[in-house]
Amino acid sequence: MKTEISAPLQRTRMLTLIGTIITQFALGSVYTWSLFNGQLAHKLDAPISQVAFSFGLLSLGLAIASSLAGKLQERFGVRNVTIGAGILMAIGFWLTAHADNLMMLYLSAGILVGLADGAGYLMTLSNCVKWFPERKGLISACSIGAYGLGSLGFKFICGALLSTYGLENTFMIWGVLAMSMIIVGALMMRDAPIQQSSGNAKLQEKDYTLAQSVRLPQYWMLALMFLTACMSGLYVIGVAKDIGEGMVHLTTQTAANAVTVIAIANLSGRLILGVLSDKMARIRVISLAQIVSLVGMSILLFTRMNETTFFLSLACVAFSFGGTITVFPSLVSDFFGLNNLTKNYGLIYLGFGIGSVMGSLVASVFGGFTVTFSLIMTLLVISLVLSLSIRLPNRQNVSEPLLHN
């Protein structure tokens, strides 16, 4: 039976969606970071690899803040936390503009900007999904798609600012622009209402607190699947150009086209799998994404690649990664309920931060791509088996009342 939604409530929902999209677009701007590595390395007289480490810290800060954002939202509300995230991001970029050593860069661009991005990203996404329980996949696709488009849009904005105003001024303008968009978006948002059971036992059975969720095997099965998807996607995306030059012997210019292929495939995965997840079981969408990623990793690991198969492998991995991180918030809500989604998904989202460094760590310890690809392939096979065998948790697994935080 379809529930009628009043006009004021529908207006609130749509304003929250628009505000979330604006905010996510601004938050996604951090993924233009590679544009600045060269100039920062020259300014600080440091190797590019050490400068680029700031983005690894940013990814880690993003994941940690995402896992804590649910507590902040409970205390201050989605609007206030988002405004705070926008202000913190502007402060981080202002300090980055004035950074004169690596430690200050790590603190400002890495930790502060990462914490700001994470505080806003998962919380606003989860809040928006809660407003649209009947279209969770589509809303996730819109929100996370906006985050991906932000990296593409700000690539041109920051590129133009760099050529016109220079490095320091670009960081300050970027910070003010991102902060303004985030605050405008925040003012349009409202906290989603708690999902009421209305006597529906099925809905009541599905609402697990974080303390209850972590005692279920399904929680850790999903966590491993998410970690695997992030590790495979982030590692391959991060070294795509190097794979093209080192393994396929492409020219630097041709290998650089990997960035465009990855961006298109990533966005396609977010939109296609996000919409598909409203039309079929979400765990089957994840299984499909895992199979696509396995195809891409098999090409990388077992074939003698040419230009076409190289770009095809990247497209498979990026498509799977984009789709997985889009579908997962709704998938977690299917398993553990909507009311505690920010907390339940927040802990799983730490896999993004771990995955962002795990692939590079394995590669640096064991040397070369082959060992890392083999590990990712093994984890993907395990994840596929888990996704095909996992079942929704049973009410009898939990002894506490389910609707208390």
Side-chain angles (χ1 to χ4, degrees), residues 242-315:
D242 304 305
I243 297 170
E245 292 176 7
M247 294 180 68
V248 196
H249 308 297
L250 300 177
T251 64
T252 300
Q253 187 173 3
T254 304
N257 290 330
V259 176
T260 305
V261 172
I262 287 168
I264 294 170
N266 195 330
L267 184 58
S268 300
R270 294 171 192 231
L271 297 175
I272 293 171
L273 296 186
V275 172
L276 188 62
S277 73
D278 280 334
K279 303 182 183 303
M280 61 185 286
R282 289 188 179 90
I283 193 64
R284 294 295 155 257
V285 178
I286 295 298
S287 300
L288 174 63
Q290 290 164 340
I291 291 168
V292 172
S293 189
L294 276 168
V295 170
M297 292 306 302
S298 298
I299 294 171
L300 288 169
L301 197 55
F302 301 123
T303 69
R304 202 179 281 271
M305 286 183 291
N306 56 36
E307 184 178 336
T308 303
T309 55
F310 165 64
F311 287 130
L312 176 62
S313 68
L314 294 184

Side-chain angles (χ1 to χ4, degrees), residues 150 297 349 382:
M297 292 306 302
Y349 197 78
I382 294 171

Side-chain angles (χ1 to χ4, degrees), residues 194-213:
I194 293 175
Q195 300 294 313
Q196 301 295 334
S197 64
S198 303
N200 185 333
K202 283 188 178 180
L203 180 60
Q204 187 175 2
E205 286 173 11
K206 287 173 64 178
D207 262 313
Y208 293 81
T209 66
L210 177 59
Q212 294 161 347
S213 298

